[in-house]
Amino acid sequence: MSLPDTPLPSPSLAPAMQAANAALIDYQARFNAVVNHTPGLVYQFVLHADGSTTYPYLSEGCAALLGLAVAELQQDPSCFPRLILAEDRKRYEETMQASRTTLEGWNWEGRIWIEAWRDVKWISLRATPSPLAGGSVQWDGIMTNVTASKLEQEEARRSRARLAELTAHIEQVKEQERTRIAREIHDDLGGNLTAIKMALAMLAARLPDDPSLVEKAEYLDHLVDRTIEAVHRISLDLRPSTLDLGIVAALEWQAREFEKQFDIACIFRSGERDIELAQDHASALFRIFQEALTNIAKHAGATRVMVSLRRQRQHLILSICDNGRGITPTDRLKPQSFGLRGMSERAAALGGTLTLSAAPGGGTMVAVKIRLAAPAAARNTEPTEA
């Protein structure tokens, strides 16, 4: 049985076909020009149902990006996975399989080692999948070299880490200096003022019966009393002596002082009588508490504050809830919101976190979570010989 002869195109259709071919050639030329000037590697990648892979199309950027010729990678598609560093290869496979399953975009970033250049590159892969007959999947995408941006991100991360360390060190030095000044004020000035008051009392007892002299002596006595009170207040502002009694006692004292000063009910609850904290950790947590109460007094318009301090396994959690007007996202982004930023920095310096959220029933809840050090007995325990 012979096949019918294929009819030749009629003379009237020949010019149209020639025009279509010319347009196709022109389109292909423009496509190649765009692809070849695109930074990176434009490619098609197929994962077949049997697990084998092919690269139907690779742009000329293959050699510049991967150090492989187009023909080399097409002949052996497994070359590319072998370039990927071992610690990044698992993620490459996971993202490919996830994209294959969901038919959503395949996005992956990882490092490759190019032996010829003795160099590591960061590669960004972005591709769109489409199913093929027989269960295969084809991705059309682009790979680009993102090494420079990754190095910049890493340097920025290191800079932020160094800045955080410097900030934590400055805060620690400030607390140490506050402690030193507070003790000198309390011990030296307080002691001297007490001696002056005793001497004034002795002198007043020996004064002649002159009303003007008695009045001046009483004035000086009251002046010394006010100065002693000022010294005591300044010393407490610099570093509350209650911190020497433990963080629970210090926070409870501050809650009472806040209630007296601002006439806002402040209820403090803790199931712990005392919690062992390093001095710098206790000072930082106390300062966070002070700043939170100051923000409530200034901005919240609250009438009640609930404070809880609790231990949760190896963490310590301080929660401060008020019934005020609450905090909005724009409040957190204000350029002058140094109080919130300072609280977050202090929490981060402790290796902890600070979160702001809406309190139940309205208002704001500030929660600070820090990790507790292992008990000394546990740290010093050594295995004994049987």
Side-chain angles (χ1 to χ4, degrees):
M1 182 176 178
S2 60
L3 295 173
D5 294 335
T6 303
L8 295 174
S10 64
S12 62
L13 293 178
M17 291 183 65
Q18 291 175 357
N21 287 335
L24 182 61
I25 293 171
D26 180 64
Y27 174 82
Q28 185 67 45
R30 282 186 283 124
F31 173 79
N32 290 336
V34 170
V35 167
N36 291 332
H37 286 85
T38 298
L41 167 61
V42 179
Y43 69 98
Q44 286 181 327
F45 173 73
V46 177
L47 176 62
H48 298 281
D50 61 1
S52 62
T53 58
T54 55
Y55 284 95
Y57 175 80
L58 292 166
S59 71
E60 293 303 319
C62 184
L65 183 67
L66 305 180
L68 298 172
V70 170
E72 185 180 359
L73 184 54
Q74 286 182 324
Q75 290 172 5
D76 184 8
S78 64
C79 285
F80 179 70
R82 290 200 298 269
L83 295 179
I84 302 173
L85 298 191
E87 51 267 39
D88 293 346
R89 200 171 297 151
K90 180 181 178 182
R91 182 62 182 162
Y92 171 81
E93 295 289 343
E94 289 175 346
T95 53
M96 177 173 59
Q97 294 300 333
S99 178
R100 177 188 188 181
T101 302
T102 62
L103 291 180
E104 294 181 355
W106 180 9
N107 299 318
W108 172 79
E109 285 186 353
R111 294 161 294 174
I112 62 172
W113 169 257
I114 301 177
E115 182 64 31
W117 303 332
R118 307 292 297 175
D119 191 20
V120 172
K121 284 185 179 182
W122 275 94
I123 298 297
S124 173
L125 179 155
R126 300 290 182 268
T128 302
S130 55
L132 301 179
S136 301
V137 176
Q138 175 177 299
W139 284 271
D140 300 294
I142 184 170
M143 294 185 203
T144 53
N145 183 355
V146 293
T147 305
S149 63
K150 278 291 182 181
L151 293 178
E152 290 174 1
Q153 291 173 16
E154 183 63 21
E155 180 57 32
R157 187 193 64 78
R158 286 197 294 266
S159 297
R160 286 195 297 269
R162 289 194 294 266
L163 182 59
E165 289 176 2
L166 178 60
T167 301
H169 175 69
I170 291 173
E171 289 296 334
Q172 187 175 3
V173 171
K174 282 169 59 178
E175 285 297 333
Q176 291 172 351
E177 190 65 8
R178 282 173 174 167
T179 300
R180 183 187 67 79
I181 295 172
R183 284 176 178 162
E184 287 187 3
I185 289 175
H186 182 271
D187 296 343
D188 295 343
L189 289 182
N192 291 341
L193 287 168
T194 301
I196 290 172
K197 182 174 176 65
M198 293 172 62
L200 278 174
M202 293 174 60
L203 290 174
R206 290 172 172 78
L207 286 175
D209 190 12
D210 185 337
S212 62
L213 291 176
V214 172
E215 183 180 354
K216 289 182 179 179
E218 290 177 350
Y219 169 75
L220 289 175
D221 186 63
H222 292 320
L223 182 61
V224 171
D225 285 339
R226 291 201 303 272
T227 307
I228 290 174
E229 290 177 2
V231 165
H232 182 64
R233 186 185 68 255
I234 293 169
S235 178
L236 287 178
D237 287 342
L238 287 170
R239 185 182 187 276
S241 55
T242 50
L243 273 172
D244 296 329
L245 303 177
I247 187 63
V248 177
L251 296 182
E252 189 172 11
W253 171 83
Q254 183 61 62
R256 290 198 304 269
E257 289 296 306
F258 173 80
E259 190 172 60
K260 287 190 294 185
Q261 184 177 357
F262 296 102
D263 195 26
I264 298 174
C266 189
I267 302 166
F268 177 83
R269 292 194 178 99
S270 176
E272 308 285 338
R273 294 187 61 184
D274 191 21
I275 297 172
E276 183 179 351
L277 277 181
Q279 182 176 345
D280 56 337
H281 282 52
S283 297
L285 189 62
F286 182 81
R287 296 301 180 191
I288 292 173
F289 184 51
Q290 276 188 321
E291 186 62 41
L293 293 181
T294 299
N295 286 342
I296 291 171
K298 286 183 177 179
H299 310 295
T303 59
R304 187 182 71 256
V305 180
M306 303 290 293
V307 183
S308 73
L309 182 70
R310 68 185 188 278
R311 191 196 303 264
Q312 189 178 74
R313 296 180 182 175
Q314 295 301 314
H315 290 89
L316 183 64
I317 301 175
L318 173 65
S319 300
I320 307 127
C321 296
D322 67 71
N323 66 342
R325 62 176 61 94
I327 187 169
T328 64
T330 55
D331 292 331
R332 306 185 195 189
L333 300 176
K334 286 180 181 177
Q336 302 300 320
S337 60
F338 295 114
L340 295 177
R341 277 184 256 171
M343 292 161 63
S344 296
E345 289 290 340
R346 287 181 188 273
L350 299 178
T353 58
L354 182 142
T355 57
L356 292 171
S357 59
T364 304
M365 180 172 72
V366 178
V368 184
K369 183 177 182 180
I370 63 173
R371 187 171 182 83
L372 291 169
R379 292 195 302 266
N380 296 331
T381 300
E382 296 181 357
T384 57
E385 296 181 3

